[in-house]
Amino acid sequence: MAIPDWAPQDRPREKLLERGAYALTDAELLAIFLRIGTRGKQGTKGKSALDLAQDLLKEFGDLRSLLSADRERFCDVHGLGVAKYVQLQASVELTKRYLRACLKRGDVLSSPNDTRNYLLSELSGSTCEVFACLLLDSKNRVIKFEKLFFGTIDSTNVHPREIVKHALQNNASAVIFAHNHPSGVADP
């Protein structure tokens, strides 16, 4: 059944307007973004945007894998193409810029959650391990975010001397260290 034929409270757009974006599943949010489903191949039924979104999440495993898929892998899926790939990549970049704007130079770090979200946005999607520093002044205001060391898929070498040098050059009073796990597994 096509989405316009659903009860209004079950349609993703109407659900978002009524209850807020947080009330939607990953598939529903993705369906809103995709806007349209697919036409069926000769003799087969097409898919709604929500069916397509659910299939994508199943095929890629989760949103992270879907959004970090390369263009070729993404476009191999029936019903998707370069235009949708570009739209999704633009949405990822918009999210990063939004979080960056929330935590720009001079802002006081008032929430561990904001800091976590910012660092996640900056480090997610990397295909190698990255060690980064968030430099702060004496009032815990952001001076600068720097990616200092880059490694392989499962390790990176960190040089404390270089970290101290960067902190001193930027007159930082405090430093928050962060690094990613490209595999998604945080176990040592």
Side-chain angles (χ1 to χ4, degrees):
M1 179 187 310
I3 292 175
D5 298 332
W6 296 2
Q9 68 273 14
D10 294 333
R11 297 179 200 157
R13 289 181 190 162
E14 286 78 358
K15 190 174 172 182
L16 184 144
L17 291 170
E18 186 178 312
R19 296 191 232 161
Y22 62 89
L24 275 67
T25 64
D26 290 349
E28 289 170 326
L29 289 168
L30 188 56
I32 289 172
F33 191 80
L34 292 171
R35 287 188 10 236
I36 58 173
T38 61
R39 291 185 180 162
K41 293 180 181 177
Q42 232 172 354
T44 63
K45 184 181 168 196
K47 294 180 183 178
S48 71
L50 185 57
D51 291 335
L52 178 57
Q54 289 168 335
D55 288 351
L56 284 171
L57 291 172
K58 226 179 270 177
E59 175 150 344
F60 286 89
D62 57 25
L63 274 176
R64 179 181 179 268
S65 298
L66 171 65
L67 296 175
S68 61
D70 65 25
R71 181 174 62 182
E72 187 178 326
R73 170 116 162 64
F74 183 87
C75 293
D76 279 347
V77 177
H78 174 69
L80 300 179
V82 174
K84 289 293 181 208
Y85 177 78
V86 167
Q87 286 177 317
L88 280 174
Q89 292 307 305
S91 73
V92 169
E93 185 58 28
L94 277 173
T95 301
K96 287 180 179 182
R97 291 180 187 192
Y98 166 77
L99 291 169
R100 224 177 271 139
C102 290
L103 200 62
K104 61 184 185 288
R105 183 177 180 94
D107 283 352
V108 175
L109 291 181
S110 57
S111 161
N113 198 41
D114 287 345
T115 306
R116 178 184 173 276
N117 289 338
Y118 173 77
L119 291 171
L120 279 172
S121 76
E122 287 292 336
L123 297 174
S124 68
S126 295
T127 56
C128 64
E129 281 211 14
V130 178
F131 181 89
C133 295
L134 191 56
L135 304 170
L136 309 173
D137 69 9
S138 61
K139 303 280 188 204
N140 286 337
R141 293 180 299 218
V142 176
I143 296 172
K144 189 179 199 179
F145 172 78
E146 288 188 279
K147 294 179 181 178
L148 296 177
F149 304 103
F150 298 85
T152 63
I153 193 164
D154 62 359
S155 69
T156 187
N157 291 323
V158 177
H159 305 282
R161 177 185 182 131
E162 294 300 314
I163 297 168
V164 172
K165 188 165 103 177
H166 272 326
L168 292 173
Q169 285 173 341
N170 289 283
N171 204 27
S173 294
V175 181
I176 295 175
F177 301 125
H179 81 100
N180 65 334
H181 292 271
S183 66
V185 178
D187 296 333

